[in-house]
Amino acid sequence: MILVFKHFFYRSYVGLSLWPFIILRNPALKADRVLINHERIHLRQQAELLVVFFYLWYAVEWTIRCICYLDTYQAYRNISFEREAYWHERDAEYLENRSAFRFVRYLFEPS
């Protein structure tokens, strides 16, 4: 289910997955197949980790990467969940072929 909340976002962020919803900054983004696929990848990751553990893992990994990179944006871009989603967001068939817990592969790969 896709929801639109204009004032929900920080800076230039335009989409967010909060199980079971995809939340977008404006209605026109519903047509952005790449963005929607990116967020659908996150929904799959959240389901695999029973939602709560996804958010805990995300927060812990982001904190560790903030310390490593000393840059919050670089930390965000290098979270394993984000790396998987950015890497495959243009592949419309990725979720059909994706193996479970695939994000783990992106934990230690160089960026």
Side-chain angles (χ1 to χ4, degrees):
M1 182 180 308
I2 299 176
L3 306 173
V4 177
F5 291 112
K6 187 189 275 188
H7 303 291
F8 190 74
F9 294 91
Y10 177 71
R11 290 191 185 175
S12 63
Y13 296 102
V14 295
L16 173 71
S17 296
L18 291 172
W19 179 261
F21 306 104
I22 294 174
I23 304 170
L24 302 175
R25 180 177 282 211
N26 67 62
L29 292 169
K30 288 180 180 182
D32 186 336
R33 292 177 185 253
V34 172
L35 174 62
I36 298 303
N37 197 44
H38 179 102
E39 298 306 333
R40 287 180 64 231
I41 292 168
H42 287 320
L43 289 177
R44 179 72 57 86
Q45 295 164 340
Q46 291 169 16
E48 289 172 346
L49 291 173
L50 306 175
V51 182
V52 169
F53 296 108
F54 171 86
Y55 295 117
L56 289 173
W57 185 325
Y58 197 104
V60 169
E61 189 175 345
W62 181 78
T63 301
I64 291 168
R65 293 193 186 277
C66 278
I67 293 166
C68 292
Y69 290 101
L70 300 174
D71 180 317
T72 57
Y73 183 72
Q74 283 300 317
Y76 156 76
R77 286 297 300 234
N78 283 284
I79 295 171
S80 57
F81 302 118
E82 295 299 341
R83 292 175 74 193
E84 178 188 15
Y86 278 113
W87 186 261
H88 298 285
E89 67 187 2
R90 295 187 183 283
D91 181 355
E93 296 171 12
Y94 177 67
L95 285 172
E96 295 172 19
N97 304 311
R98 179 185 180 270
S99 57
F101 301 98
R102 183 67 178 207
F103 61 87
V104 173
R105 174 181 175 197
Y106 297 88
L107 272 171
F108 304 109
E109 282 190 6
S111 49

